[in-house]
Amino acid sequence: TSKIGDYAFYGCIHLSQIAIPRTVTIIGNSAFSDCKHLSHVTMTDSITRIGESAFSGCTSLRNIIVPKYLSQLSSNVFSRTGLVNVTIPNQITIIYDSAFAFCSELTNIIIPSSLREIGDYAFSSCRKLENVVILEGVRKIGESAFSDCSNLSNISLPNSIVQISRGAFRLCQKL
């Protein structure tokens, strides 16, 4: 197992792109956090774990393809990024707390059928988020998961939902 360690590139403000080699299977906590100019990340499907806050604060990061063998998205993993588009693979079973919080450019999200739980504050304060499609299989939407998504105007909820937690859609004025 090869790993990019915790905080390995933390705050490297001139880092603009990275191609993570196939030999890497783990990206550590905050490994690329606050790399303000990081705009392009290439990850292979060999990656099985991305740590908490790994890409948090990468404000130039616009698109990401999540490796298909991940089973979870860690807390704050992509929070405070410039993500516009995210492809979440069908193996993800949980999106942990604040994983995409404060992604100010995110406009659409499709939650795959493999997902069982959307964590607390997972998409909170994504103010350009307009459309959310949650496919059949999701059971729980966490506390304030979509709070303060002021442009959220369209959300589809499946029959599999058994819990919508407190404040899940608080301050979503267009719903």
Side-chain angles (χ1 to χ4, degrees):
T1 301
S2 182
K3 176 181 180 179
I4 296 174
D6 296 350
Y7 300 93
F9 294 92
Y10 177 88
C12 291
I13 60 170
H14 297 292
L15 181 65
S16 63
Q17 57 185 322
I18 185 92
I20 298 171
R22 183 167 298 286
T23 55
V24 172
T25 58
I26 297 170
I27 297 173
N29 297 336
S30 299
F32 297 97
S33 188
D34 290 325
C35 293
K36 302 285 184 211
H37 290 97
L38 183 60
S39 61
H40 188 76
V41 175
T42 304
M43 293 186 275
T44 67
D45 287 331
S46 64
I47 295 172
T48 57
R49 184 180 184 283
I50 300 176
E52 293 181 7
S53 302
F55 294 97
S56 180
C58 295
T59 53
S60 297
L61 190 60
R62 299 286 181 250
N63 298 292
I64 197 80
I65 297 174
V66 177
K68 67 180 177 183
Y69 295 116
L70 285 181
S71 63
Q72 64 185 33
L73 290 174
S74 299
S75 297
N76 294 294
V77 66
F78 296 114
S79 65
R80 299 182 300 110
T81 62
L83 287 175
V84 175
N85 296 304
V86 178
T87 302
I88 299 175
N90 206 31
Q91 286 75 0
I92 300 289
T93 58
I94 186 167
I95 296 175
Y96 280 102
D97 300 351
S98 303
F100 295 95
F102 297 97
C103 287
S104 58
E105 302 300 318
L106 190 63
T107 57
N108 299 292
I109 194 81
I110 298 173
I111 306 294
S113 59
S114 61
L115 199 83
R116 296 297 170 253
E117 181 177 339
I118 299 170
D120 297 346
Y121 298 91
F123 294 93
S124 68
S125 298
C126 294
R127 295 204 172 128
K128 289 188 180 177
L129 186 62
E130 295 176 0
N131 300 297
V132 174
V133 176
I134 301 175
L135 297 177
E136 191 69 36
V138 176
R139 297 181 54 76
K140 178 185 177 193
I141 298 175
E143 183 176 327
S144 298
F146 294 93
S147 66
D148 200 24
C149 293
S150 52
N151 278 303
L152 184 59
S153 58
N154 186 21
I155 186 160
S156 64
L157 297 173
N159 291 328
S160 58
I161 295 279
V162 294
Q163 180 180 346
I164 298 176
S165 299
R166 183 172 58 127
F169 298 98
R170 182 177 50 87
L171 299 174
C172 295
Q173 297 97 333
K174 292 191 177 181
L175 283 180

